[in-house]
Amino acid sequence: MNRFLLIFIVALNITLSATTADCPSKPNIIIMMADDMGLGDTSAYLGVRLMPNAPPVAKTLRTPNLDAFAKQSVLFTDAHALASMCSSTRYALLTGRLAHRAYLKNQAWLPHGPNTPMIQKDLSTLPMMLQNNGYHTMGIGKYHVGVFYDNGIGQPASDFHFHDVDFTKPLLDGPTHHGFDEYYGVPGNTEDPLDAEPRIMIRNDQLEFTDRSQMKMIGMNKCEGKLFASPDWDLKKLGMLYLNEVIAYIDRQTKDPEASQAPFFLYYVPNANHNQRHPGGTFAVPDSIAGVKIKGQSKYTDGTPAGPREDMVIENDVALGTMIEKLNQTDDPRWSGHKLIENTLIIFTSDNGPNTMNKATNETTNQESGGLRGKKAKIWEGGIRVPFMLYWEGHFEGPKINRNVLSHTDLYATLARIVGHTLDAHEARDSHDALDYWAGEASGPDMRPRVFFCNLGSPYLNDALAIRQGSKKLVIEGGLALPSIKKGSRGALQHAIFYDLNLNTFEEGNFQTDPPNDEAIALGNKLIQIHNQGYTRDLNLSPGSALIQSDGWHNLRNDIDGGVGFEFRMATTRQVTHLGMWDDHEKDKGVRGPRNIPTEHDRDQPSIGGNKKSSLAAPHHINLYELDRKGNAKGIIQIAFKSGAPGELENEFRYLPLDRPVILNKDHRYLLLMSTSADDGDTFHDPASFNGLSPLVNPFIEITRSVMVRGDVNQRSAIPAFSDLHETYSRHRLPVGPTLKFKAP
């Protein structure tokens, strides 16, 4: 028997020597996320049914340590990465936001060469949340959500091969800017023909080797001789470097008197088993790791030999076993008489499905995917359904199978609840608290929707989306996530195919030839609402007096003559006491032209806060209408704002009181408009954010759509964007301009 397997089984069956009453309430947390690993890449899933009616998985790779871990853990059969490619998945896990809410809305991995960091500095992240709750946070391995190197004058390096980097300078934007106290690893992939980042380890916010004259120049094909590498760079040693750092970090956190009093969060994300093309081959397989032979050792459960890709899966398997052995051997400094393993929550998963080496299997079922259809880069289940194992002694133990739908975004909200953190409305907007479903305490299956992203190549475009609710799955053709994509739908929802995975686990069949049924239409409408309103979870907004509770991060614009506003429906009857409008800080300005295609270089950003210097540059009218069943508008009230500083300024909004309250009735529809003139000096927020945060509205309000009026109020159209977009693009969105206040409840 493998020595790590034996140690692991013995150690995880420790008999507690003391009462659990003094157990620290906040566990240590470890997330280990492999790269490009499918359900068939581990014997933990051998014989497991991936859906209740599906046949059991018949053949997998042998992974003794993962197998042992699964026998002590909760094994999830329906867990998903948010994207079928690496960068977008990592963004989603770290931010609790849907993968396509970043600027990267097609292909789902960062293009080669310099990239703008995907996570804006003002966004909250999972490690940031844990920091705020007393955790020390450490990241080890592949970051891959974008790094800014300093070019020597405080600006991001921009040369494709990073020849303008000042290696002595700290990173301008990297892991330690987004919630990690410490980080050790590489910025992204390490393929010599493609990825151009320097092959130099990052330690916190510094490069570990800085002497340009001593660096070696490596690379293949178009990158030959153009990639900077430290003198000791060796891809085969990368996994062992990470593992050594994991062991060293555990030692630091338990032996240092000051550090040992805090729980720790370890985000362990090795590059294996992503392909690593270099002069020696497609995979840089080490001879051994942690004293265990790796090269040539992988075998399938039927005894047949595997290959170099599978060897790197074994590398991760041994690394997991070694880490768990360390947790078993190490005393817990916060819990006398106990070992770290007894109060450490451990998750093992993968960033997307397997990158099988046989391209002919791109759309067929794959052994590496556990028999599911598709692989990495596909919207099929094989591209997004991933291994997921969960262990926390006394809380999540096995062997147990969990069949609830789960996604990586759920980690943020679920871990927040575990550590006692209440989510702010701006945090983790697409993250569902799944704790009751993890623990088996929910009354039924988790029916909350999850949205997935990415498809490279036929049959769909590169920004395809899919939504899951229970066992039902709807795939949406491209052009919704990225309306500017060539041959896309310009923001419309186009049903591609609809499955019940209980009945069609392997997604047999292609395009939907018949009109979508009622279930598919309803699920598509749910996706539009989630996509356009900017959040998935219940944000628990307070029913206060303001209609717009937060202005969000949207591009600012002032290019329209006419009226801009939105239609809405009342969920309850309320009295309106004020009409108002957004009044920007005088230094606020748009980040791009209002009718330009958004890019990664013009990021949405928060409005300027603090002591606001704001006033209206021009007069404006605010009009409130009621809509009849045909959508015709009948005026209710109008107010006029003079230029200067009229009315009451509350946060970013100015309000004028009405002479007498106006009643808005439950289930009735209304229209709110604000007059605007091009270049009048007063901006408003565009209805659709690119990669920012959508505005938040009173929970008594349902936003129907954003509109523009020029002349006849019953001739309403969409607010112009970079192109003529489908009317679907305007649904559930509002421009932040006109607003109102209700009588306080």
Side-chain angles (χ1 to χ4, degrees):
M1 179 179 287
N2 180 291
R3 68 185 181 93
F4 292 108
L5 174 62
L6 179 62
I7 292 170
F8 182 72
I9 292 174
V10 172
L12 274 184
N13 284 281
I14 294 173
T15 301
L16 295 181
S17 59
T19 177
T20 60
D22 56 345
C23 176
S25 60
K26 295 179 180 179
N28 303 307
I29 299 170
I30 298 175
I31 298 174
M32 182 175 179
M33 185 164 69
D35 202 312
D36 296 357
M37 182 178 177
L39 294 160
D41 285 327
T42 168
S43 46
Y45 285 88
L46 182 66
V48 174
R49 298 179 188 272
L50 301 184
M51 296 296 285
N53 298 321
V57 176
K59 178 181 176 180
T60 69
L61 193 67
R62 286 180 179 172
T63 53
N65 291 288
L66 277 164
D67 210 14
F69 183 55
K71 287 180 171 60
Q72 300 294 327
S73 306
V74 180
L75 184 78
F76 287 75
T77 60
D78 212 348
H80 294 77
L82 265 290
S84 57
M85 295 289 277
C86 40
S87 298
S88 293
T89 285
R90 293 159 200 270
Y91 170 88
L93 187 154
L94 291 171
T95 64
R97 286 160 56 92
L98 294 181
H100 70 280
R101 297 216 197 273
Y103 70 75
L104 194 63
K105 299 182 190 296
N106 69 332
Q107 80 182 26
W109 91 97
L110 289 172
H112 312 298
N115 295 288
T116 300
M118 294 173 67
I119 304 175
Q120 292 145 294
K121 286 189 177 181
D122 291 297
L123 274 180
S124 58
T125 65
L126 172 61
M128 203 177 291
M129 178 274 290
L130 293 172
Q131 273 184 335
N132 292 335
N133 285 273
Y135 278 74
H136 187 276
T137 60
M138 175 72 177
I140 298 173
K142 171 181 167 180
Y143 187 52
H144 214 199
V145 288
V147 165
F148 271 154
Y149 293 92
D150 194 316
N151 67 356
I153 56 174
Q155 297 298 314
S158 59
D159 178 77
F160 185 85
H161 293 103
F162 296 89
H163 284 232
D164 57 345
V165 172
D166 185 336
F167 294 100
T168 67
K169 300 285 188 181
L171 298 178
L172 298 175
D173 193 318
T176 58
H177 297 90
H178 298 282
F180 288 104
D181 292 304
E182 298 182 62
Y183 205 94
Y184 178 78
V186 295
N189 291 326
T190 51
E191 290 188 71
D192 287 353
L194 297 174
D195 302 288
E197 292 95 340
R199 305 300 199 258
I200 303 169
M201 303 303 291
I202 294 172
R203 170 79 64 181
N204 301 332
D205 65 346
Q206 297 273 175
L207 291 159
E208 276 207 320
F209 190 84
T210 62
D211 188 346
R212 182 187 288 256
S213 67
Q214 298 299 311
M215 294 176 187
K216 58 184 180 181
M217 304 304 295
I218 64 172
M220 293 169 58
N221 302 341
K222 292 182 180 180
C223 290
E224 185 175 358
K226 297 178 180 178
L227 305 183
F228 290 105
S230 58
D232 59 351
W233 177 258
D234 185 346
L235 272 174
K236 293 182 180 180
K237 296 180 180 178
L238 205 54
M240 194 65 233
L241 288 174
Y242 294 157
L243 181 57
N244 286 341
E245 193 66 31
V246 168
I247 302 303
Y249 176 70
I250 292 172
D251 282 339
R252 290 200 305 275
Q253 287 306 114
T254 53
K255 295 178 181 178
D256 181 275
E258 185 174 347
S260 64
Q261 298 310 302
F264 64 80
F265 168 59
L266 173 59
Y267 177 63
Y268 179 21
V269 280
N271 289 65
N273 57 294
H274 194 288
N275 59 12
Q276 297 170 302
R277 286 180 292 168
H278 67 298
T282 303
F283 294 96
V285 183
D287 292 329
S288 64
I289 185 172
V292 179
K293 190 175 180 181
I294 299 297
K295 191 170 184 177
Q297 297 304 297
S298 58
K299 294 184 183 298
Y300 293 110
T301 48
D302 63 0
T304 58
R309 174 187 173 275
E310 290 71 29
D311 286 348
M312 296 194 76
V313 176
I314 300 305
E315 175 186 318
N316 280 335
D317 183 72
V318 172
L320 173 73
T322 305
M323 179 181 69
I324 290 175
E325 179 182 4
K326 180 67 176 179
L327 296 173
N328 280 308
Q329 294 175 343
T330 304
D331 292 334
D332 189 337
R334 297 188 299 136
W335 194 11
S336 180
H338 294 263
K339 301 296 184 182
L340 279 182
I341 192 69
E342 297 177 63
N343 195 30
T344 299
L345 186 157
I346 306 169
I347 291 169
F348 180 89
T349 187
S350 173
D351 67 342
N352 46 248
N355 190 18
T356 62
M357 293 297 100
N358 181 0
K359 292 185 178 180
T361 64
N362 208 16
E363 295 179 26
T364 60
T365 57
N366 295 287
Q367 176 189 303
E368 295 90 342
S369 302
L372 296 170
R373 182 178 183 178
K375 63 171 191 174
K376 174 180 179 174
K378 292 298 178 182
I379 203 73
W380 313 120
E381 289 295 289
I384 55 177
R385 196 182 298 205
V386 292
F388 194 98
M389 303 168 211
L390 169 69
Y391 177 81
W392 181 17
E393 186 173 297
H395 300 270
F396 308 120
E397 295 183 272
K400 188 180 294 183
I401 288 179
N402 190 308
R403 295 197 175 277
N404 285 291
V405 178
L406 173 72
S407 68
H408 286 157
T409 45
D410 298 335
L411 296 182
Y412 194 129
T414 308
L415 294 176
R417 182 172 165 198
I418 287 174
V419 305
H421 175 79
T422 301
L423 292 179
D424 183 89
H426 296 297
E427 281 185 279
R429 288 187 172 186
D430 298 302
S431 182
H432 293 305
D433 175 2
L435 185 58
D436 292 340
Y437 298 95
W438 287 10
E441 296 174 357
S443 58
D446 190 345
M447 297 297 293
R448 294 171 297 182
R450 271 77 173 183
V451 177
F452 311 107
F453 163 57
C454 184
N455 185 85
L456 290 185
S458 63
Y460 309 122
L461 296 178
N462 287 3
D463 68 331
L465 296 175
I467 181 170
R468 276 285 305 274
Q469 191 162 25
S471 64
K472 308 298 173 62
K473 177 179 178 179
L474 175 68
V475 176
I476 300 300
E477 179 55 290
L480 181 62
L482 187 68
S484 61
I485 197 169
K486 188 177 181 181
K487 298 183 180 180
S489 63
R490 295 290 179 184
L493 183 145
Q494 292 185 337
H495 300 77
I497 197 162
F498 177 69
Y499 299 119
D500 183 336
L501 291 171
N502 275 336
L503 304 177
N504 188 1
T505 302
F506 304 110
E507 300 177 283
E508 296 172 346
N510 281 314
F511 291 104
Q512 183 169 302
T513 56
D514 299 323
N517 63 25
D518 290 344
E519 282 187 298
I521 291 171
L523 200 51
N525 289 338
K526 174 62 69 175
L527 174 56
I528 284 293
Q529 182 178 5
I530 288 170
H531 177 268
N532 286 4
Q533 75 184 7
Y535 58 89
T536 306
R537 70 175 176 89
D538 183 355
L539 300 180
N540 297 312
L541 299 175
S542 172
S545 59
L547 187 155
I548 301 176
Q549 298 190 349
S550 170
D551 64 330
W553 308 359
H554 284 204
N555 189 41
L556 302 183
R557 60 191 294 181
N558 180 213
D559 63 317
I560 291 173
D561 290 315
V564 295
F566 50 92
E567 299 174 9
F568 63 97
R569 178 182 287 107
M570 293 295 298
T572 187
T573 298
R574 296 289 300 274
Q575 290 187 34
V576 176
T577 59
H578 298 70
L579 296 185
M581 63 176 289
W582 190 69
D583 184 7
D584 58 325
H585 191 291
E586 62 184 30
K587 293 185 178 180
D588 266 328
K589 60 182 180 179
V591 294
R592 61 180 170 273
R595 306 192 192 192
N596 289 359
I597 294 176
T599 72
E600 65 181 287
H601 302 296
D602 40 31
R603 313 291 298 276
D604 287 337
Q605 60 193 25
S607 299
I608 297 175
N611 296 320
K612 293 175 66 67
K613 292 182 179 180
S614 59
S615 62
L616 301 181
H620 297 268
H621 289 91
I622 311 295
N623 289 75
L624 178 63
Y625 302 86
E626 184 168 6
L627 304 179
D628 64 19
R629 292 183 179 180
K630 294 182 179 180
N632 294 319
K634 178 182 178 181
I636 298 177
I637 195 167
Q638 179 189 80
I639 64 168
F641 276 95
K642 297 179 180 179
S643 59
E648 308 162 7
L649 182 65
E650 293 184 13
N651 299 319
E652 291 89 3
F653 296 93
R654 291 196 176 277
Y655 295 97
L656 287 175
L658 304 182
D659 292 337
R660 52 188 174 84
V662 172
I663 295 175
L664 302 189
N665 292 300
K666 180 181 178 181
D667 294 330
H668 287 219
R669 295 167 56 218
Y670 299 90
L671 167 66
L672 190 62
L673 286 177
M674 179 188 81
S675 66
T676 180
S677 298
D679 299 321
D680 65 8
D682 295 320
T683 59
F684 62 90
H685 282 287
D686 193 85
S689 66
F690 178 57
N691 61 352
L693 293 170
S694 297
L696 302 179
V697 300
N698 196 300
F700 291 153
I701 298 297
E702 178 193 348
I703 301 299
T704 306
R705 63 168 179 155
S706 58
V707 297
M708 180 185 72
V709 171
R710 283 178 174 153
D712 186 350
V713 70
N714 290 320
Q715 298 297 314
R716 300 185 291 277
S717 60
I719 295 174
F722 55 85
S723 176
D724 290 333
L725 300 178
H726 190 273
E727 61 87 19
T728 300
Y729 189 75
S730 298
R731 289 170 56 186
H732 305 291
R733 302 191 199 265
L734 76 161
V736 177
T739 188
L740 55 78
K741 281 175 62 176
F742 297 107
K743 183 178 179 179

